[in-house]
Amino acid sequence: MIGALVVVVLVALVALAVYGVVLTAIDRPPDVWTKRAVGVVVALLVVQAAIAAVQVFGGTPLPETSTFLIYLVVSVCVLPIATQFATAEPTRWGGAVVAVGAIATAVAVWRLDGLWVPGA
């Protein structure tokens, strides 16, 4: 994994979570900008997952490879699912759902970074 990319992804996830909280606070449902922001963050997550998967399947030994791969899949899947729930029935709480999805994804990415100990 690339340390700088992890930082960029975490900052993007925190910004998305703040955006979701602000949408909830001003009583607005998720809009097209929410979907675009989620799309950008998911694109970053897919790039990170692709790089990590290539390294793991290319032979980089990790102490907990299966746990790492599970977190990798979770990091890519949670945010699109949360966004689908948030936009299925647009209410003011949709922003909160996006915020919770972003926070959960940030925890998964942080855990991925902690599990990345090549050669251990």
Side-chain angles (χ1 to χ4, degrees), residues 2-105:
I2 301 171
L5 183 58
V6 171
V7 172
V8 169
V9 168
L10 287 173
V11 168
L13 286 165
V14 169
L16 184 61
V18 169
Y19 180 67
V21 169
V22 168
L23 280 178
T24 302
I26 62 174
D27 197 18
R28 299 190 70 190
D31 54 6
V32 69
W33 291 105
T34 307
K35 289 182 180 181
R36 289 178 184 166
V38 168
V40 169
V41 174
V42 169
L44 288 170
L45 289 166
V46 167
V47 168
Q48 178 184 17
I51 291 170
V54 165
Q55 289 179 343
V56 168
F57 292 120
T60 301
L62 296 175
E64 298 181 41
T65 303
S66 59
T67 304
F68 181 84
L69 292 174
I70 290 168
Y71 272 104
L72 198 61
V73 170
V74 166
S75 72
V76 174
C77 292
V78 169
L79 198 51
I81 293 169
T83 304
Q84 181 63 32
F85 275 113
T87 58
E89 185 177 333
T91 65
R92 76 174 281 186
W93 297 107
V97 173
V98 171
V100 169
I103 292 167
T105 304

